[in-house]
Amino acid sequence: MPDAVQESLVDRFGRTVDYVRISVTDRCDFRCVYCMEPDTRFVPHAEVLTLEELALVARAFTELGVKKIRITGGEPLVRRNVVKLMHDISTLPGLRELVLTTNGSQLERLAPELRAAGVKRINISLDSLDEARFARITRTGKLAPVLAGIEAARQAGFEKLKLNAVILKHRNEDEVVGLTRYAAERGMDISFIEEMPLGVIGDHDRAEAYYSSDQIRADLETAFTLVASTESTGGPSRYFRLVETGTRVGFISPHSHNFCDTCNRVRLTAEGRLLLCLGQEHSVDLRAVLRAAPGDLPLLKQAIRDAMAIKPLGHEFNLAAKPLIFRHMNATGG
Ligand code: SAM
Ligand code: SF4
């Protein structure tokens, strides 16, 4: 018998969606200045998708041709039994890779279990190598456990570990070279992320803190030779190879470089809202579908197919203009 034809999700602009980022919680043990308010109110537990609902959504997506799932949050590793969920997702037929984004605080404890559960790659956020600064940026975070977590992940044998750093003026812009050295010495790539204007956060002035990818690149060129790489993830990253170390540096630049025409991804919030674009409000309430007809996989798949019709062409981030998007990154699943 010939194989059944694999269905795929294609939006009205002809873009194939084969990558889903799933936020498994909006909660976090950190309160990073660019991501959350110090006193952020979290979604009540009953409104967050259960692990069973999350597993069913992942299954629906893989049956619709999704090849890559990233687990994120909030901090995904503070959700109880999340490793079991990862195991269930990693064994779904058709999935090419299950990857994770974490702040690293729980990695020392969980790295071996995560590897055993089938997680292939991990992105770890690290904005500073200075203890006091790290505490200021994350408000409630401690540097030492994160560094220990990175070492534990290295020991656990993941296919790839990458660092993510959000660079802000007057906070950590002078650490660009140091963070890159730290990553390269451990054989890791590093991506620098421009801050995105998601949600208004108290006295944190985004236009004031903005530090562009082009500035970061110029800083790096004082220490390394950067050669443009043609590799693309279909996302907002542009990559360069460092001649001196052989590792890569990525720039995630939503402001200065538009990437929407090759967008291959959608996001699921912890409450089950399917976001069709990070920079727009277009969404579909999959939790309503899941709870109206529990376990109904065909209905869920149809809701996801229908959602493709409202995926917008692109985002409109503008640091100076109002209104900003009233969603914070922890609610979005960065
Ligand atoms: N808690 C995990 C972590 O920090 O890696 C996963 C979720 S976090 C929302 C994912 C990524 O989004 C992190 O690398 C974080 O630095 C980044 N991020 C959060 N808020 C952001 C913002 N306003 N602009 C750009 N990146 C942001
Ligand atoms: Fe938590 Fe990640 Fe947001 Fe920092 S960026 S507050 S670690 S969810």
Side-chain angles (χ1 to χ4, degrees):
M1 264 225 318
D3 287 347
V5 177
Q6 170 65 62
E7 189 174 348
S8 58
L9 291 169
V10 181
D11 76 358
R12 67 210 148 104
F13 305 105
R15 297 172 297 189
T16 298
V17 171
D18 59 6
Y19 175 20
V20 181
R21 302 168 72 105
I22 298 180
S23 171
V24 296
T25 180
D26 65 329
R27 283 155 216 265
C28 187
D29 48 346
F30 293 2
R31 298 285 183 278
C32 301
V33 290
Y34 45 73
C35 180
M36 286 194 204
E37 300 279 7
D39 57 352
T40 295
R41 295 246 303 271
F42 296 109
V43 176
H45 283 297
E47 291 174 22
V48 171
L49 294 193
T50 64
L51 295 177
E52 292 71 26
E53 288 168 334
L54 286 164
L56 195 69
V57 173
R59 180 165 164 207
F61 272 110
T62 55
E63 290 190 8
L64 291 167
V66 161
K67 302 277 180 279
K68 173 174 169 184
I69 293 180
R70 177 175 300 281
I71 302 296
T72 179
E75 173 45 43
L77 300 185
V78 301
R79 174 126 194 209
R80 207 173 306 149
N81 294 328
V82 74
V83 180
K84 158 89 171 65
L85 172 69
M86 302 221 209
H87 176 266
D88 293 348
I89 294 179
S90 78
T91 49
L92 286 168
L95 190 75
R96 205 175 295 142
E97 56 174 6
L98 174 65
V99 297
L100 168 71
T101 300
T102 174
N103 66 21
S105 68
Q106 312 298 313
L107 267 184
E108 193 176 10
R109 182 170 57 90
L110 292 178
E113 283 178 55
L114 289 166
R115 185 68 190 106
V119 175
K120 284 200 178 154
R121 297 188 288 121
I122 306 188
N123 289 354
I124 305 164
S125 301
L126 180 67
D127 297 340
S128 177
L129 289 164
D130 176 88
E131 215 177 300
R133 270 190 184 182
F134 185 89
R136 270 202 301 279
I137 294 172
T138 61
R139 291 204 188 97
T140 54
K142 288 201 169 62
L143 177 62
V146 172
L147 297 184
I150 292 172
E151 293 312 317
R154 292 178 65 209
Q155 299 302 319
F158 292 95
E159 285 180 11
K160 194 156 195 169
L161 298 175
K162 183 167 78 89
L163 296 185
N164 280 340
V166 175
I167 299 299
L168 304 173
K169 205 188 284 180
H170 310 310
R171 290 223 188 235
N172 62 349
E173 87 273 28
D174 55 347
E175 291 200 55
V176 166
V177 170
L179 284 165
T180 304
R181 281 223 169 90
Y182 171 89
E185 282 163 6
R186 289 159 182 78
M188 298 187 287
D189 295 342
I190 183 165
S191 283
F192 293 104
I193 310 176
E194 281 179 359
E195 188 188 14
M196 286 176 263
L198 298 176
V200 178
I201 302 185
D203 57 358
H204 175 59
D205 183 340
R206 300 203 134 106
E208 165 73 8
Y210 178 62
Y211 199 74
S212 77
S213 292
D214 290 340
Q215 283 168 291
I216 296 172
R217 196 175 140 192
D219 295 346
L220 285 175
E221 279 169 344
T222 63
F224 305 102
T225 316
L226 277 65
V227 177
S229 156
T230 50
E231 291 153 277
S232 164
T233 58
S237 293
R238 289 173 307 135
Y239 287 103
F240 292 81
R241 178 100 30 212
L242 299 178
V243 172
E244 290 78 4
T245 66
T247 55
R248 290 188 313 165
V249 176
F251 297 98
I252 304 180
S253 330
H255 303 298
S256 33
H257 299 274
N258 197 289
F259 50 83
C260 301
D261 54 342
T262 55
C263 181
N264 64 345
R265 62 201 59 194
V266 291
R267 295 175 162 78
L268 186 75
T269 71
E271 308 126 276
R273 209 153 59 100
L274 183 65
L275 299 174
L276 285 311
C277 172
L278 183 58
Q280 302 273 9
E281 293 292 348
H282 303 67
S283 71
V284 171
D285 184 1
L286 291 185
R287 186 184 65 199
V289 178
L290 283 160
R291 295 198 178 168
D296 190 335
L297 187 61
L299 195 71
L300 184 61
K301 283 167 70 175
Q302 194 51 46
I304 294 171
R305 280 188 207 104
D306 293 346
M308 291 303 119
I310 59 162
K311 185 167 166 62
L313 187 56
H315 70 226
E316 287 153 16
F317 290 142
N318 181 346
L319 285 178
K322 305 249 183 241
L324 300 167
I325 290 176
F326 293 107
R327 235 191 295 120
H328 288 114
M329 192 63 132
N330 72 303
T332 301

